[in-house]
Amino acid sequence: MKIAILSCFYPYRGGISQFNACLFNELSRSNDVKAFNFSRQYPEMLFPGKTQYVSPDDEAVAVESVSLLDTANPFTWGKTFRAIRDWEPDLLIVRYWMSWFAPSLGYVTRRMRGRCKVISILDNVIPHEPHFFDKPLTKWFLKGSDGSITLCEAVAEDLLRLKPDARYEVIQHPLYSHFGARMPRRDAALSLGLDPNRKTLLFFGLIREYKGLDILLEAFSKLGNDYQLLIAGEPYGSFSRYQKIIDASGCSERIHLFLSYIKDSEVGRYFSASDLAVLPYRSATQSGISSVAYHFELPLVVTDVGGLRETIGERGTGLVAQSVTADAVLAEIRKYFADPALKESCIENIRKEKTRLSWMNFCRRLEDFAAGL
């Protein structure tokens, strides 16, 4: 089968690009796959991070692609459509995670539909930080898809609220497996300047308001001297509000900050040094961070939002806080460390998930779904 994928690929960095590279490589094992990339993903003025691109010292998975689509330049939308049309794919896959992409991606998919099957992989239907225009733009985009893949039930429910007759399949986020093997915990901790004798909590990934770092900081301030907190990721916007909380916490010497984008070759160091990952999110669908944690067999504490209970709590790979509050997160952290058998149970369940959540299984189910459209 000839499969076109329209989304961001190398040299763009981040979880979406990493996912697409894994998807491309797995589908390419048994199909003719071509990657159609953005020439510009966001205008710089709309991008809150430092850069959208892989830096020279990153070791991201490179995928050969055709860079055509400028989301802010409609003149490139027709050019992208014609390039995909002329390649004559049997299936077009697009990734969708925020309404900014609805006009450009929708332009292409609505013209390709009928020429080939079109599937959208929906990370979000409504973004974590919503705007009044999200629903109408997303409704318009969805009309260009024959069917959709969602990565959790929560996104499927959002999809059905906007498009009750949608054809869809829920296939959980596969595990990222390109970050290398887990390091010995002590070696990883010492390499980051951490005390290997303290219990280590990890907050990893882009720092955005909805991810609730302030909630975790408040919870951490109530933990004893035998705990330390590792914060690793690039802030989207100012970090000053969090720094004020840290400075006033009375435990700033046990909070270790690595406030930059973590390149692929370094990701394993942070997960290997940690005992527990904490996702204190105010809103969520699924989480790519949990997929990285699973790869390194690191249990999680999460809040009960979006698909996190479904993908973590119900699978026994971590604990779910009963409310989005510091006290609820704190209670689950204490519960985890109070029972050594709980840790072993979580790790055992993660190992089971590692078999189930393979890229091979994800792509097989995607292909079966496409065949039924």
Side-chain angles (χ1 to χ4, degrees):
M1 180 164 54
K2 293 182 70 174
I3 302 175
I5 306 176
L6 173 58
S7 191
C8 59
F9 291 90
Y10 184 94
Y12 293 100
R13 71 183 191 185
I16 301 289
S17 181
Q18 291 166 351
F19 184 113
N20 291 337
C22 294
L23 178 68
F24 177 93
N25 288 332
E26 183 60 40
L27 287 173
S28 295
R29 293 179 186 274
S30 55
N31 300 282
D32 183 8
V33 186
K34 188 168 184 176
F36 293 85
N37 203 349
F38 295 116
S39 59
R40 181 170 59 166
Q41 184 176 210
Y42 306 101
E44 290 298 329
M45 63 180 294
L46 297 180
F47 184 74
K50 293 180 180 178
T51 179
Q52 303 175 52
Y53 302 100
V54 170
S55 61
D57 62 341
D58 283 345
E59 298 175 2
V61 178
V63 171
E64 183 179 347
S65 65
V66 181
S67 298
L68 294 173
L69 188 68
D70 181 340
T71 58
N73 182 354
F75 290 105
T76 69
W77 304 354
K79 182 179 180 181
T80 304
F81 155 64
R82 289 188 293 273
I84 297 173
R85 178 200 63 191
D86 293 348
W87 192 62
E88 298 183 336
D90 304 299
L91 172 64
L92 169 62
I93 300 171
V94 297
R95 294 289 301 282
Y96 185 82
W97 65 98
M98 61 184 297
S99 59
W100 169 260
F101 298 99
S104 57
L105 292 180
Y107 180 97
V108 176
T109 58
R110 289 161 72 103
R111 284 158 179 77
M112 285 301 300
R113 191 178 182 192
R115 301 173 185 272
C116 70
K117 295 178 181 179
V118 179
I119 290 178
S120 54
I121 299 179
L122 305 175
D123 295 81
N124 305 303
V125 171
I126 302 300
H128 300 295
E129 295 156 344
H131 306 88
F132 71 91
F133 47 77
D134 291 325
K135 288 183 180 180
L137 284 175
T138 301
K139 282 184 178 181
W140 186 85
F141 165 78
L142 289 170
K143 290 179 180 178
S145 299
D146 295 298
S148 299
I149 300 295
T150 72
L151 305 179
C152 67
E153 291 287 351
V155 175
E157 292 169 5
D158 288 342
L159 169 63
L160 292 175
R161 278 191 282 269
L162 290 190
K163 190 178 181 182
D165 61 344
R167 300 183 69 178
Y168 72 95
E169 178 93 4
V170 179
I171 314 177
Q172 193 172 332
H173 196 306
L175 302 190
Y176 291 121
S177 55
H178 62 286
F179 293 122
R182 183 180 177 93
M183 298 172 59
R185 181 187 175 282
R186 182 178 180 83
D187 293 350
L190 290 173
S191 73
L192 293 171
L194 306 180
D195 182 347
N197 298 312
R198 283 180 167 145
K199 305 178 185 77
T200 305
L201 308 178
L202 174 65
F203 180 97
F204 189 90
L206 299 175
I207 300 171
R208 302 177 66 175
E209 197 275 337
Y210 77 86
K211 292 191 175 184
L213 176 57
D214 55 318
I215 295 170
L216 177 55
L217 289 170
E218 183 182 343
F220 181 77
S221 69
K222 300 175 183 179
L223 291 168
N225 194 52
D226 54 336
Y227 287 85
Q228 61 191 344
L229 174 59
L230 175 56
I231 300 171
E234 181 182 337
Y236 266 28
S238 173
F239 190 75
S240 60
R241 62 173 296 218
Y242 304 110
Q243 190 63 57
K244 289 177 183 177
I245 297 171
I246 293 169
D247 293 342
S249 68
C251 54
S252 59
E253 76 284 353
R254 292 187 286 115
I255 300 175
H256 303 268
L257 303 177
F258 295 85
L259 302 180
S260 63
Y261 181 83
I262 309 301
K263 63 182 182 180
D264 288 4
S265 61
E266 292 295 315
V267 168
R269 192 180 307 275
Y270 295 87
F271 283 83
S272 299
S274 303
D275 298 296
L276 183 69
V278 185
L279 281 58
Y281 293 179
R282 289 185 168 87
S283 67
T285 46
Q286 63 288 319
S287 171
I289 303 303
S290 67
S291 296
V292 184
Y294 284 2
H295 173 67
F296 291 105
E297 298 185 358
L298 185 67
L300 304 101
V301 163
V302 302
T303 44
D304 190 7
V305 296
L308 297 185
R309 176 177 292 278
E310 166 201 342
T311 56
I312 295 167
E314 293 178 5
R315 295 289 176 177
T317 57
L319 302 177
V320 182
Q322 298 307 303
S323 62
V324 186
T325 63
D327 286 343
V329 170
L330 175 64
E332 299 306 316
I333 292 171
R334 285 175 168 161
K335 179 180 177 181
Y336 176 80
F337 286 103
D339 184 0
L342 186 55
K343 172 183 177 180
E344 295 305 316
S345 174
C346 287
I347 292 175
E348 181 180 347
N349 288 327
I350 286 173
R351 288 171 179 163
K352 294 176 183 176
E353 289 295 274
K354 289 174 76 171
T355 300
R356 185 177 72 88
L357 299 177
S358 68
W359 283 99
M360 181 179 69
N361 287 342
F362 182 92
C363 290
R364 181 183 296 122
R365 290 185 62 188
L366 186 153
E367 289 175 278
D368 288 347
F369 175 68
L373 292 174

